[in-house]
Amino acid sequence: MIYSRNKALLTALILTFSTQLFSSTNITVQQLQKEFIESVIVANKYKSRFKHYLSSICGDIYLNDKCVNDRIEYIKTWDTVIGDQVLINAIDRRIERLALNKEKFEQKIIEFDDEYWAKAKEVLKKKLQYKKLERSQFISFIDLSRQKIVIVLYDINENDFYPVGVDLISSGNMNREASIEYGEDHYFNSPKGVFRIRGGWRSDGEENDDGTLGYGAKDRYIFYLGRQKSIRYNTFDKEGNKIEDKSKWKVIKDELEFAIHAHESDMPLGGAYSHGCIRTSNELNKFLDTNLVLHKNNIDMSSFSWTQRFVSSPKDPKCHTLAGEYVIIVDQL
C-alpha cells in the first residue's frame, strides 16, 4: 500500500494482521473494508439510482435495511445494470473523489492511490501521542481540505493504523453568512483539533420547511462533540441591520454546538456548506452507529451494555471491543 515503500512486505503484514485481528470479535480489517464499500459507498449510489423502485418495494429505504439490501442484490443481477453507464460513472466519480485505487476497490479493498495515507498516519500519530490508547479501537479522521472522513482502526499490538473506509463529508463555511437573515443560525468554520464524542441523540426524521432533512433519516444518530470555539463573520450592525458591504464584516470568535450527523439536502457532500457541523450520508452514519465507531462513551466496556437511558442503542450493534471516541479534524495534511 501507499504508506510503505515495501508494498509486498506490507501486504503480507496486513494479511497476517487481518487473519489475527481481534479474535474476540471475529472480524478482520478486510471484512470491515468490504462492509464499508458495500453498505456505504455502493449502496448510496444504488439507492440514488433506483430510489423509486426501492421505495415502491420497501417503503422507507432508510428504515427497512434488510429489504433494501436484498433488493440491491437482486438489482445487481439485472442485465441492464451490468452496462448501466450512469451508475458506473457515479461510482467511478466517487472512487476518484476519495482518491481510492479502483482496482483494489473492485476487490472490496480500501487502498489510496497516492502518498495521502502516509501523511495521514503521521498526523494521527502526532495528534494522539498524548492520549492513552490502551486498547485497539476505531479512530475517525477528517480532512477539511479534501472534505472527507477516514475511518481508521488503531492496532495496539502493532502500534499502527489501518484504513477501514473513507467517504465525503460537508463541513462549515462561514462565507455563507451572507445568506442569513437576522435571528437565523450563523455559519461557522468547523473547529479543528482532537475531539471526543460526548453523547448524542437520534434524528426524528422530520423535514424542515425547505424539504431538507437536517439530521438525516429517522433514527440516525447525532454524535455530539460539545460546545466548541470557532470563528464566524459578524454581518449585522447594532440595530440588527444587514451590513451589505462585505469589507466591513468582522471576523469574531464565537461558540457552536458541534456535532457529526447525517444530512439530506440539495447541497452535495464533498463541499463546505454546513453551519459548522460535519454532515455525512445516511449510509455512513449507519456504519458509524452500528459498528460503534464513536460510541465508546455510550457503552459500559466491562459488560458492553448501552448506557444512554433516554436514547435507544443501535440495532444489531457489533465491534464492541473496538468502540472508539476520538475524532481528529485538520485543515489539511
Side-chain angles (χ1 to χ4, degrees):
M1 290 187 177
I2 56 92
Y3 44 86
S4 173
R5 294 182 179 179
N6 191 333
K7 183 174 181 179
L9 174 60
L10 184 57
T11 300
L13 286 173
I14 288 180
L15 288 173
T16 301
F17 173 78
S18 297
T19 58
Q20 297 178 350
L21 178 65
F22 316 122
S23 57
S24 62
T25 67
N26 295 318
I27 197 164
T28 68
V29 170
Q30 289 179 335
Q31 287 173 329
L32 285 167
Q33 290 178 343
K34 180 180 179 180
E35 179 190 343
F36 190 96
I37 288 172
E38 292 179 342
S39 67
V40 178
I41 301 176
V42 174
N44 177 275
K45 296 308 176 185
Y46 271 84
K47 288 176 184 177
S48 177
R49 179 65 169 148
F50 302 101
K51 185 175 183 178
H52 179 73
Y53 168 76
L54 291 171
S55 298
S56 68
I57 300 295
C58 301
D60 190 323
I61 62 175
Y62 294 111
L63 286 179
N64 301 316
D65 292 322
K66 186 179 187 308
C67 176
V68 171
N69 293 337
D70 289 345
R71 281 291 150 177
I72 287 177
E73 291 305 310
Y74 174 61
I75 291 171
K76 290 177 181 179
T77 67
W78 295 357
D79 291 338
T80 54
V81 171
I82 296 174
D84 188 334
Q85 205 58 48
V86 173
L87 179 63
I88 293 170
N89 290 342
I91 294 176
D92 283 349
R93 283 195 299 270
R94 183 55 62 92
I95 293 171
E96 183 177 358
R97 287 291 305 276
L98 297 174
L100 291 174
N101 181 304
K102 183 178 179 181
E103 180 180 348
K104 292 294 185 181
F105 182 90
E106 292 172 349
Q107 299 172 29
K108 310 300 183 186
I109 297 173
I110 297 290
E111 182 177 312
F112 295 98
D113 272 335
D114 51 27
E115 296 301 317
Y116 183 80
W117 183 239
K119 296 178 182 178
K121 287 212 299 181
E122 288 303 312
V123 171
L124 286 166
K125 291 176 181 179
K126 181 177 180 180
K127 295 293 184 180
L128 294 169
Q129 61 181 321
Y130 299 115
K131 304 297 181 183
K132 294 182 179 180
L133 300 180
E134 298 176 345
R135 60 181 177 81
S136 299
Q137 60 190 275
F138 290 112
I139 305 290
S140 298
F141 174 76
I142 294 174
D143 179 352
L144 297 179
S145 68
R146 292 172 173 82
Q147 289 291 293
K148 67 184 183 182
I149 181 171
V150 183
I151 311 306
V152 177
L153 264 179
Y154 169 69
D155 175 32
I156 192 168
N157 296 315
E158 300 288 336
N159 190 29
D160 205 355
F161 302 91
Y162 298 85
V164 167
V166 55
D167 200 18
L168 297 178
I169 54 96
S170 181
S171 66
N173 184 352
M174 71 180 195
N175 289 310
R176 296 195 67 201
E177 185 78 8
S179 66
I180 75 166
E181 301 293 334
Y182 188 74
E184 294 180 340
D185 291 337
H186 294 289
Y187 281 92
F188 292 78
N189 279 353
S190 295
K192 276 74 68 179
V194 181
F195 304 92
R196 298 171 68 186
I197 298 298
R198 301 186 180 184
W201 61 98
R202 294 197 178 276
S203 169
D204 58 14
E206 294 294 324
E207 288 189 358
N208 297 324
D209 293 338
D210 59 3
T212 63
L213 292 176
Y215 292 116
K218 182 175 173 56
D219 289 335
R220 290 302 182 262
Y221 194 88
I222 292 91
F223 297 94
Y224 182 58
L225 295 161
R227 192 168 181 83
Q228 301 294 341
K229 295 179 180 179
S230 186
I231 58 173
R232 65 173 178 85
Y233 282 117
N234 177 31
T235 60
F236 298 94
D237 61 23
K238 293 180 180 179
E239 287 72 41
N241 299 311
K242 192 80 171 184
I243 302 172
E244 300 298 337
D245 185 354
K246 188 174 181 178
S247 66
K248 295 182 180 180
W249 292 358
K250 292 183 179 179
V251 176
I252 62 174
K253 295 179 180 180
D254 201 349
E255 294 183 335
L256 77 156
E257 303 290 351
F258 193 33
I260 299 173
H261 60 79
H263 180 87
E264 286 187 36
S265 70
D266 292 335
M267 297 296 187
L269 297 176
Y273 300 114
S274 85
H275 286 87
C277 288
I278 303 298
R279 298 174 177 176
T280 74
S281 67
N282 282 293
E283 291 79 16
L284 175 60
N285 182 278
K286 180 71 179 295
F287 184 91
L288 298 175
D289 191 26
T290 301
N291 288 284
L292 308 177
V293 173
L294 294 170
H295 276 317
K296 185 261 182 181
N297 293 326
N298 294 326
I299 295 173
D300 182 335
M301 294 301 291
S302 62
S303 62
F304 298 133
S305 58
W306 186 253
T307 59
Q308 280 196 288
R309 293 181 59 188
F310 303 108
V311 181
S312 60
S313 67
K315 295 180 180 179
D316 303 318
K318 52 189 176 180
C319 300
H320 293 77
T321 61
L322 305 177
E325 61 179 319
Y326 289 111
V327 180
I328 299 170
I329 304 178
V330 300
D331 266 327
Q332 61 183 13
L333 297 184

